[in-house]
């Protein structure tokens, strides 16, 4: 099938999120894969936001910008988003706007026929489902589920509202709506990056999260706090410094612990990242990227914090930086983050971005098997004289936690001896201890996964990207093929330390990044000596899409 | 049964000979013995400063972290394992300067930990700058013409916020301090002792100045009277009262609701979550069959 | 002349700093250049520290480790530092130690002959000056100056103590002491890195400093606070976040402003560095390096924060990172830091390290002329409709300050329009504004000074280093020449952005750095594609010396 | 003479229609008119949050900085140019959460600025998490089972530390609030107004709940009585007192000593230091001739 893209536009507070959620669940239940993507302003009411639903028979987890159907909830939304409508696309709108394909006075219908304006959005939902040619039954089922714990009257009114909208769209549609999405037996998971990370953390054995609210990472702690029976102690901290401080304390005390924030909040955690490096206490930090500097564009997306995160922290110590490609990858990377943090007793940063965290991705399978949660604690009974920082060529000393046994566990942010006590003996104690910590990198580097190579054999052009851009890169290959270009992809999702890897010979490399200065390019140049033929940067706060890549590639290549 | 010397260790001290910090150290060791704790049951957390070096000088678990950040670490440790006797050892700069925000919010949380502030009214380790408790007018290295701004009154802030155990100790009265420590550790919830600890290197007043002024609270002082306690810490008087300034009925302790979910067990002892539980949650993200 | 190296060793609190200060001033007044270097523990009393004085006829501003004369104040100091004594060197010590060349019971002499033990150190000073063969007169003058505001008796006792020590050394010396430092007419400035930076800041027009005490940068604010008539508002902040926040506020309000800290304090400032980049408010931040991670070795030296500082801050914005070579350079770099911060409206970081800040360097001239303080404010009268962030190809918008004129000055940490108001218009406002900020780099890069090239013509080996290692690198050239190696130096003191520069062809490059991971090497590789033949790293907390470089070079070269 | 509309601007608001923040904005504009200020004499400083957007909505100099960090910026601005009317506009999360330490230490410094806290007992911009003033028990997004920890009482902390002007306003009484603002700006030294600002989107109680409870302090309330003021802000009563809670005789203002050295002039107006002065200081580092 041809993918169908539905865009719902309106002001914050007008309900596009509820409409979007009901419609996408209905489409999903009809047996299709949906990819949902939101772009919104940093405010609670007003402004103009959109919620896009890409419908396909197989998961296509990257946004389409052009709309087959635009549902606009107000006149301004019509103005702002109308340019997105495809040649044969349609506009569905309420009373307030001109030039619609299908104009349904949602509020009036709701008021007149159902007695209350609040049902207007359900009328709109019905209209959209109607225009898509989906069975009303599927929608009614979803409405029943969603309003199950509301009063009967409310449920009934919503059913009627949906029916009303459905019928009116049916009428209006006639020759306008070619779409037809009959029930099929596809079944998909539909999940966002943050939800996957929260679940991944619980699965990995994380029992403590402290965080300070910050877009786009707030949902991780929110999910864990709401799902209390996962047994994760979730504490909203007074600031980001306290958040990571508590997580490190918890981890020292023997549990897996994490925090989650955005670039600005992470900036406040940097001193503690260095602390974790020094005291060798594992900790996992999710950094959701958004455009900076400073507060920047708080609800938009970016890949602008890569080099900052890699180099964060004073002094020299090892850390691991991962970048999730999509929610399934994010789930597994979260488990990996906890495992490797424990294995090497280091801080691990997991990079996401607003696009990944807020979008809903589809997966046919969501297989949680893969890397299993594994802990790397020493056995207290096997140790006679315990030294927290016992020198070892691997750089890894036996880790116990306080209260676990008779063995005492002391950690110190000063340079220290094997028992964690402050030292000023530069030659005999400080230097070997620094060398011990730095020795970890040898093994760690080998544990890092090399980039994923896609369609390299035939390719003469290779798109090099990272993190959440993966699906867009893959889709771009298809588009470029149509333009007669044989392209492949090298995709990085484990960013630091970089593994041993050689770029293939005789290809032209392009970096594709959601930032202005080409951070991945700089990183790869210094590690692999690779030369880039071209660069595509997007830094307007919107995600990379296949179309954006193709257009820019064609414009820039000679 | 623990013996006195169970808490002794042989780490060489970096403090100046004769520093009153030694008395505080002794008081802590004696208190722990009196409390019948063994070293593995105790965890001392500190930041950076002279005071913050204390955990190195006794036998126990310790977390010597960043300047100003002892409290968040302690809260994470306490949340993870409330069975540990968790004590924060900190300085006036560490706790009231760099770490001021964490102290405020620790008062809100009421974790079951003890906070001991070595208050020498100075940044000692960095060589004598004013701290948030240095009296106005006192000349300090950066405050060459005398401190121009008013000191903080943290005990008053603690009392206002209903901290269940607020005391002032004096390093020159180690026995009295030991008693305070024992009571503080026994108190369920946040207990806080501000300890007058004259710095003999950078201080401007001789030890005797403090000795002369310090006065134990009367036996009939009612520690349950919040407004009286507030008056006590706000009045400017010739005498400096030491003892338990305020003691309140025990409030709910940090995390008490969560503890019920995990059957009061320390987090590291919990079984891992069953993969099936995650899989079943994931079904909630899936389209209807 | 052959340089003479004197090492004074003792516990903290025993007075080695006072002894060192008197001796070095006396040597200076005798007409010699002195380089003083201290290494000490992070404690107030006890431990074992040393204070070295290198004496020469021309400034040699890098430490010698071996001692011609060791003055040890206690028995442990004798043990710890005795290995430093050269073949024909001598040990001067007090009563408590064995095996001295010259044993003078300082305390006993002080007690018996002067009535009080406190004169013991002055006896020691006298002995040292005697052993060095310096006129007692020069010492007595210095003592007179130093104790001028003390009671007559104290002055007199000190004079006598010095004389006593001088005479006893004279006796003890006989055939042991070949040194002879007659009065000559050299005149030198003797100044530390922090003092030079404080003076440079005042000269540059800085009127506001806020800082939180942290070794090794505390002396900058201390100096400015003490020298109140320089008119610099000096405020000790409650923490480092407040320190930089106040400085940025002050700068916005129209004055030049700075802060100073170490790596750990800078870690707390990172969010504000990004803020300065976004709101385009100039600010100067001195970062004194010491070994990390975390608290590390608080009183030791390092060059371990280079990549951290260069990449500090979330989001993408330009900054300038300078690294001072010595106090004279630090003075001028401070002026440059303020000028370029103003010119480009960016944050500027000036890197120092404990070695540079705590050591006393000699200079024959301390010429403050050079780059003059220059401000780059717009003229309010020439502007009709003021826009703080007016778009401009140079990236630089007219800067005014609030209250300066009728024009209103608004700055915003969110992405903003030309007047500083929050924007959500991604295409028309946000993107051009981001591009405007990023455009600064073009000119900025040209303003950055290329590295200094020394003796490259003849060289086949080139030592590449940065910051305070310069004098050691230069001295290493001489030592290597003696080993038959033709070496040159490329020395960087302006670290980011890196200027256009080409490494010379057909030479072998070695990096010499005070860190473990080769941060300069990584930086240069990614910018200049240069390949390094060898690397010398020192990371035990002690400074690079010519001897260390030579020894390691010879050990590592094939 | 300034006219009412001198402070109006045409920047579109991002607040929800009907948000009480609009009333605070109006009160600030009216107060500035009454104070006969012109826009160029005024500088508004804010952090991040809904409250913190206010400076965009009037004509003046403004510094909209980082979340929680308005106070340090304001102190730097005030130190540089005390002639500006410097006002911090902040939220309960901004000022009492992330920025708590700066508030404590601002009390010590007593800069001549006015701090207006839009206290909606919530993190509004990030969609309704608990703030440091959310009452215990209230359900919030991260606090799904209700807030478990106690709120902060910042007015009490201010009173304890002798802050010279502590008031509580109500966004539903803009005229009264305007009067408070006028008095606050006129006060030399730190003036602080905690403004009850019900959030109509995330709040749990209707606006009328507040309207019914808010009560202006009696005319005979003695604003100079510190212990009475403390009682007022600590008592739990059906009524919420608004008005000037505490007003003290003016303390020395931040930087007063330094001002004398620079003849009370704003720092940007000072002449540059003469190169000769630096050269002469450098002679102190030089060996004797
Ligand atoms: C982030 C950070 N800032 C500054 C310092 C430097 N520093 C070390 S100890 C100290 C002051 C300690 O004062 P206090 O807590 O009163 O301890 P005391 O030495 O007086 O016992 C400071 C500022 C640091 N280590 N880390
Ligand atoms: C360092 C940092 N942490 C977190 C955030 C996210 N954030 C933005 S506004 C806000 C809360 C604001 O609450 P409050 O100050 O009460 O303002 P309100 O929106 O309620 O008016 C938070 C946490 C941020 N911008 N910066
Ligand atoms: S400097 Fe003061 S506080 Fe520190 S050890 Fe010495 S006497 Fe004690
Ligand atoms: S969310 Fe609340 S505080 Fe924010 S603008 Fe809306 S009503 Fe006002
Ligand atoms: Mg102290
Ligand atoms: Mg709020």
């Amino acid at each position: 099938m041809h993918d169908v893209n539905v865009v719902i536009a309106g002001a914050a507070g007008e309900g596009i999120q509820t409409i979007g959620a009901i419609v996408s669940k209905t489409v999903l239940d009809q047996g299709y894969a949906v990819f949902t993507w939101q772009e919104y302003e940093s405010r609670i009411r007003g402004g103009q936001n959109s919620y896009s639903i890409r419908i396909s028979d197989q998961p296509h987890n990257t946004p389409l910008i052009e709309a087959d159907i635009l549902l606009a909830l107000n006149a301004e939304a019509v103005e702002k988003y109308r340019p997105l409508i495809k040649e044969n696309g349609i506009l569905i709108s309420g009373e307030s706007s001109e030039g619609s394909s299908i104009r349904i006075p949602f509020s009036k219908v709701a008021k007149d026929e159902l007695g209350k304006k609040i049902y207007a959005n359900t009328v709109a939902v019905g209209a959209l489902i109607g225009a898509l040619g989906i069975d009303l039954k599927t929608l009614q089922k979803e409405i029943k589920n969603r309003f199950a714990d509301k009063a009967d009257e409310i449920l009934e009114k919503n059913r009627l509202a949906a029916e009303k909208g459905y019928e009116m769209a049916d009428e209006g549609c006639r020759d306008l709506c070619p779409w037809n999405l009959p029930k099929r037996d596809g079944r998909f998971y539909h999940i966002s990056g943050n939800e996957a990370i929260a679940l991944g953390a619980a699965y990995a054995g994380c029992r403590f999260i402290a965080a300070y609210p910050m877009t786009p990472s707030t949902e991780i702690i929110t999910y864990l706090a709401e799902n209390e029976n996962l047994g994760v102690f979730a504490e909203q901290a007074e600031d980001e410094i306290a958040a990571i401080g508590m997580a490190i304390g918890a981890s020292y005390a023997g549990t897996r612990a994490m925090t989650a924030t955005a670039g600005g909040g992470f900036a406040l955690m940097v001193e503690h990242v260095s602390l974790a490096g020094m005291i060798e206490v594992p900790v996992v930090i999710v950094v959701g990227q958004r455009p900076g500097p400073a507060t920047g564009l708080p609800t938009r997306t970016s890949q602008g914090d890569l080099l900052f995160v890699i180099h964060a922290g004073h002094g020299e110590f090892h850390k691991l930086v991962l970048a999730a490609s999509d929610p399934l990858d994010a789930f597994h990377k979260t488990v990996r983050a906890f495992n490797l943090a424990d294995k090497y007793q280091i801080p691990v940063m997991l990079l996401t971005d607003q696009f990944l965290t807020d979008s809903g991705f589809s997966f046919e399978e969501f297989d949680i098997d893969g890397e299993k949660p594994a802990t790397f604690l020493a056995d207290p009974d096997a140790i006679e004289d315990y030294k927290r920082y016992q020198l070892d060529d691997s750089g890894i000393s036996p880790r116990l936690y306080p209260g676990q046994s008779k063995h005492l566990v002391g950690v110190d942010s000063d340079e220290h001896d094997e028992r964690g006590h402050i030292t000023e003996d530069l030659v005999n104690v400080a230097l070997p201890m620094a060398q011990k910590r730095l020795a970890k990198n040898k093994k760690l580097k080998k544990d890092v996964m090399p980039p994923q190579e896609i369609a390299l054999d035939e390719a003469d052009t290779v798109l090099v990207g990272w993190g959440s851009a993966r699906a867009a890169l893959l889709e771009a290959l298809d588009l470029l093929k149509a333009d007669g270009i044989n392209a492949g992809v090298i995709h990085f999702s484990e960013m630091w330390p970089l593994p041993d890897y050689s770029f293939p010979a005789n290809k032209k490399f392009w970096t594709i990044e959601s930032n202005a200065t080409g951070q991945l390019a700089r990183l790869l140049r210094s590690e692999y000596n690779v030369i880039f033929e071209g660069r595509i940067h997007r830094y307007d706060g919107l995600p990379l899409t296949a179309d954006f890549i193709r257009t820019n590639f064609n414009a820039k290549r000679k | 049964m623990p013996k006195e010397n169970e808490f002794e260790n042989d780490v060489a001290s970096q403090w100046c000979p004769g520093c009153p910090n030694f008395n505080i150290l002794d008081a802590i060791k004696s208190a722990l013995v009196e409390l019948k704790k063994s070293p593995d049951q105790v965890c001392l957390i500190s930041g950076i400063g002279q005071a913050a070096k204390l955990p190195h000088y006794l036998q126990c678990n310790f977390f010597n972290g960043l300047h100003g950040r002892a409290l968040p670490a302690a809260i994470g440790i306490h949340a993870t394992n409330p069975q540990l006797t968790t004590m924060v050892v900190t300085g006036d700069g560490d706790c009231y300067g760099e770490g001021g925000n964490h102290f405020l919010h620790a008062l809100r949380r009421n974790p079951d930990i003890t906070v001991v502030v070595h208050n020498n009214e100075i940044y000692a380790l960095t060589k004598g700058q004013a701290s948030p408790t240095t009296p106005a007018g006192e000349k300090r290295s950066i405050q060459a013409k005398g401190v121009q701004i008013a000191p903080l009154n943290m005990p008053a802030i603690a009392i206002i916020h209903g901290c269940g155990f607020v005391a002032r100790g004096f390093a020159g009265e180690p026995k009295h301090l030991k008693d305070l420590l024992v009571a503080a550790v026994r108190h369920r919830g946040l207990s806080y002792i501000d300890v007058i600890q004259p710095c003999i290197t950078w201080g401007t007043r001789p030890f005797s100045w403090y000795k002369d002024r310090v006065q134990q609270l009367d036996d009939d002082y009612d520690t349950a009277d919040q407004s009286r306690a507030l008056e006590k810490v706000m009045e400017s008087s010739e005498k400096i009262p030491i003892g338990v300034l305020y003691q309140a009925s025990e409030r709910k302790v940090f995390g008490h609701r969560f503890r019920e979910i995990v059957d009061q067990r320390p987090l590291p002892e919990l079984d891992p979550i069953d993969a099936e539980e995650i899989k079943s949650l994931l079904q909630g993200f899936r389209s209807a069959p």
Side-chain angles (χ1 to χ4, degrees), chain A, chain B:
Chain A
M1 70 176 273
H2 271 295
D3 291 7
V4 179
N5 198 37
V6 176
V7 176
I8 305 159
E14 271 191 311
I16 65 170
Q17 267 175 318
T18 317
I19 297 175
I22 299 177
V23 170
S24 49
K25 188 65 186 3
T26 305
V27 176
L28 212 62
D29 286 350
Q30 189 77 345
Y32 295 82
V34 299
F35 174 75
T36 52
W37 167 63
Q38 304 180 51
E39 56 87 21
Y40 54 96
E41 302 185 9
S42 176
R43 60 196 290 171
I44 303 301
R45 299 211 185 287
Q48 291 303 335
N49 304 336
S50 73
Y51 187 115
S52 304
I53 305 174
R54 178 178 181 168
I55 305 166
S56 47
D57 48 8
Q58 287 304 313
H60 289 161
N61 289 323
T62 175
L64 294 173
I65 300 303
E66 295 197 322
D68 292 285
I69 306 178
L70 170 66
L71 167 65
L73 299 189
N74 65 51
E76 256 187 73
V78 170
E79 278 335 292
K80 180 168 171 197
Y81 292 95
R82 194 204 296 271
L84 301 186
I85 302 173
K86 279 191 191 164
E87 188 153 320
N88 291 315
I90 65 163
L91 165 67
I92 307 179
S93 74
E95 36 263 279
S96 55
S97 49
E98 301 291 304
S100 288
S101 322
I102 304 176
R103 191 163 153 207
I104 301 173
F106 302 127
S107 303
K108 193 171 175 310
V109 172
K111 188 98 199 283
D112 292 357
E113 317 234 347
L114 301 146
K116 271 194 186 150
K117 263 183 155 171
I118 53 154
Y119 299 107
N121 282 343
T122 311
V123 177
V125 166
L128 203 47
I129 294 296
L132 282 167
I134 292 177
D135 309 337
L136 179 58
K137 240 179 23 221
T138 315
L139 173 58
Q140 296 297 32
K141 235 192 207 156
E142 157 65 8
I143 285 180
K144 199 171 152 201
N145 283 337
R146 194 164 290 256
F147 297 96
D149 50 1
K150 291 278 151 58
D152 283 356
E153 199 210 317
I154 294 179
L155 170 58
E156 191 46 34
K157 286 276 171 79
N158 272 296
R159 287 175 55 89
L160 283 173
E163 197 176 313
K164 207 71 225 163
Y166 193 87
E167 283 165 6
M168 294 179 81
D170 220 32
E171 259 166 62
C173 259
R174 302 260 143 95
D175 327 306
L176 291 176
C177 306
W179 307 284
N180 181 20
L181 299 171
K183 178 95 181 139
R184 62 192 286 274
D185 52 357
R187 266 194 91 188
F188 300 94
Y189 294 84
H190 183 241
I191 189 168
S192 74
N194 279 340
E195 290 160 341
I197 290 171
L199 284 170
Y203 176 60
C206 172
R207 290 280 182 187
F208 185 89
I209 180 169
Y212 189 77
M214 191 160 193
T215 309
S217 295
T218 315
E219 288 78 22
I220 298 172
I221 184 172
T222 308
Y223 185 90
L224 292 170
E226 276 170 357
N227 291 275
E228 208 176 36
N229 54 334
L230 289 171
V232 181
F233 196 120
E235 178 65 5
Q236 180 178 322
E238 58 271 30
D239 55 32
E240 287 84 353
I241 300 174
I244 187 167
M246 289 180 199
I248 290 174
S251 177
Y252 159 77
T255 195
R256 290 193 154 181
M258 71 183 295
T259 184
T261 183
F266 180 73
L268 289 164
M269 297 181 177
V270 167
E271 191 193 13
H272 269 97
V273 173
S274 179
L275 175 71
M278 183 57 142
I279 63 178
E280 308 190 46
V281 168
V283 64
V284 172
I285 308 159
V286 178
V287 185
Q289 296 168 102
R290 58 189 227 191
T295 311
L297 291 163
T299 60
R300 311 292 176 170
T301 201
S302 165
Q303 295 184 311
D305 294 335
L306 177 64
L307 293 178
F308 166 45
V309 169
I310 285 177
H311 296 99
H314 56 297
E316 300 185 286
F317 58 95
H318 294 302
K319 56 170 92 82
L320 176 70
V321 181
L322 306 175
S325 313
D326 60 37
L328 181 58
D329 185 43
F331 182 96
H332 292 291
K333 285 267 191 303
T334 304
V335 178
R336 237 172 112 61
F338 280 101
N339 285 351
L340 293 171
D342 266 21
K343 181 168 176 191
Y344 293 100
Q345 306 175 16
I346 53 171
V348 175
M349 270 73 82
L350 175 58
L351 286 168
T352 65
D353 51 55
Q354 180 270 334
F355 167 68
L356 170 62
T357 56
D358 280 349
S359 300
F361 294 64
S362 282
F363 299 95
E364 202 149 356
E365 291 301 332
F366 201 97
D367 193 353
I368 70 169
D369 300 328
E371 190 160 326
K372 293 258 175 307
T375 47
F376 297 86
L377 287 167
D379 172 8
D381 297 333
I383 298 174
E384 196 150 329
D385 181 22
Y386 179 62
K387 296 176 184 164
R388 174 65 192 88
Y389 299 117
Q390 190 171 297
L391 294 180
D392 191 288
D393 286 345
S394 71
I396 299 166
S397 313
R399 184 166 158 251
L400 298 178
Y401 56 85
Q404 181 184 15
S405 68
K406 290 279 149 199
H407 296 306
L408 302 180
V409 185
V411 298
D412 181 16
S413 78
D414 298 90
E415 195 54 275
H416 43 251
D417 64 18
E418 289 180 282
R419 290 188 202 278
H421 291 302
I422 304 178
T423 187
E424 292 271 5
D425 185 337
L426 303 181
V427 177
N428 303 307
V429 181
L431 191 60
M433 191 52 70
Q435 283 163 339
K436 184 202 82 102
R437 282 192 304 273
L438 291 167
K440 296 176 184 183
N441 209 36
K442 243 176 151 169
K443 266 179 89 181
L444 172 61
K445 232 176 131 78
K446 292 205 182 106
D447 260 344
V448 173
M449 293 198 301
Q452 198 188 352
E453 300 177 336
I454 299 135
L456 284 199
D457 287 351
E458 323 278 76
D460 26 53
T461 295
V462 179
L463 309 181
V464 183
W466 64 285
S468 73
R470 190 175 63 181
L473 291 167
L474 293 186
E475 188 159 287
L477 295 191
D478 296 339
L479 301 191
L480 289 174
K481 182 149 284 164
D483 297 337
I485 291 151
N486 269 333
V489 162
I490 295 181
H491 177 263
F492 284 83
S493 65
E494 309 219 336
M495 311 309 297
W496 191 257
L498 283 170
D500 283 330
Y501 177 70
S502 308
F503 274 74
N506 301 323
K507 316 241 179 225
K508 291 183 176 161
F509 299 103
W510 285 61
T511 38
I512 322 285
E513 304 186 58
S514 270
N515 61 48
T517 59
Q519 302 190 23
L520 179 68
R522 247 190 79 210
L523 189 67
L524 299 181
R525 204 171 49 209
S526 100
E527 291 297 306
Y528 301 120
N529 254 315
V530 55
I531 307 290
F532 291 99
E533 178 85 9
R535 293 156 173 250
I536 294 174
H537 296 155
R538 174 160 221 178
Y539 55 103
D540 58 3
L542 297 172
L544 286 166
T545 62
D547 205 57
F548 182 93
I549 296 169
R550 168 215 236 158
T551 310
N552 279 271
F553 182 85
N554 286 326
K556 289 187 175 187
R557 77 182 152 122
K558 289 136 234 174
Chain B
M1 272 216 62
K3 301 161 289 167
E4 171 91 55
N5 62 12
E6 250 200 315
F7 288 94
E8 302 287 342
N9 72 6
D10 57 0
V11 174
S13 176
Q14 294 184 299
W15 289 328
C16 308
C19 175
N21 279 335
F22 286 104
N23 298 351
I24 303 180
L25 174 62
D26 286 342
I28 290 177
K29 285 193 272 195
S30 309
L32 291 171
V33 170
E34 184 165 330
L35 287 158
K36 303 202 179 5
K37 299 286 174 190
S38 61
D40 57 295
Q41 295 171 326
V42 176
C43 187
L44 259 57
I45 295 110
S46 70
I48 296 295
Q50 297 285 30
K53 290 176 180 170
L54 185 141
H56 292 279
Y57 306 142
L58 74 166
Q59 198 70 355
C60 65
N61 298 291
F62 65 90
F63 183 108
N64 181 181
L66 295 174
H67 182 54
R69 315 301 172 186
L71 273 166
I75 287 169
I77 292 166
H78 167 64
T80 301
N81 188 352
Q83 295 173 1
L84 287 171
T85 297
T86 298
M87 190 183 289
V88 168
V89 196
T90 173
D92 43 329
D94 207 42
C95 191
Y96 305 155
E98 188 86 45
N101 204 31
H102 309 309
F103 188 83
L104 278 188
H105 291 267
L107 293 173
R108 298 181 60 207
R109 289 194 180 93
N110 196 34
D112 185 20
I113 67 177
T114 299
V115 178
V116 183
V117 182
H118 298 216
N119 187 350
N120 54 10
E121 303 184 344
I122 206 150
Y123 285 13
L125 186 57
T126 48
K127 305 193 184 170
Q129 298 81 20
S131 87
T133 53
T134 308
E138 206 168 291
K139 293 207 170 99
R140 288 290 154 209
S141 61
I142 295 183
Q143 296 73 18
K145 307 289 148 134
V147 173
Q148 304 290 312
I149 65 178
L152 280 184
N153 191 336
M154 281 294 197
I157 293 178
I159 292 166
I160 282 181
H161 288 89
C163 175
F165 186 100
V166 181
R168 179 160 278 142
F170 175 44
E173 304 254 21
K175 162 104 193 30
H176 177 256
L177 180 58
K178 187 261 309 168
D179 291 342
L180 289 180
L181 283 159
V182 169
V185 171
R186 287 201 173 127
H187 174 82
R188 256 185 72 75
L190 184 65
S191 49
Y192 159 46
I193 313 179
D194 183 87
V195 184
I196 300 166
Q197 176 252 318
C199 169
I200 57 175
T201 296
W202 307 110
T204 48
R205 307 192 197 90
F207 199 75
S208 59
W209 189 95
Y210 295 91
K211 263 244 167 316
D212 293 346
R213 275 164 188 75
V214 150
Q215 190 173 48
Q216 294 193 18
L217 287 164
D218 290 344
D219 282 349
D220 61 357
Y221 176 83
D222 178 6
T223 59
D225 182 343
Q226 192 181 23
S227 23
R228 184 75 196 84
L230 207 45
E231 258 169 51
K232 250 298 166 245
V233 294
M234 288 184 67
E235 76 196 3
S236 44
S237 122
E238 271 296 275
K239 293 292 175 187
I240 308 169
I242 60 171
V244 179
L245 294 158
Y246 179 57
Q247 189 153 21
S249 60
E250 293 181 357
R251 282 197 286 149
K252 293 252 152 108
V253 160
F254 181 57
H256 67 96
R257 266 204 71 262
F258 183 82
R259 297 274 157 244
E260 289 165 22
I261 300 164
V262 296
D263 298 331
Q264 312 294 338
R265 283 158 65 203
L267 303 184
E269 287 177 17
L270 296 175
D271 296 328
I273 273 196
D274 202 67
E276 293 313 314
E277 207 169 324
I278 303 293
K279 286 183 188 162
S280 103
L281 275 170
L282 274 167
Q283 292 312 307
F285 293 92
R286 205 172 177 199
S287 50

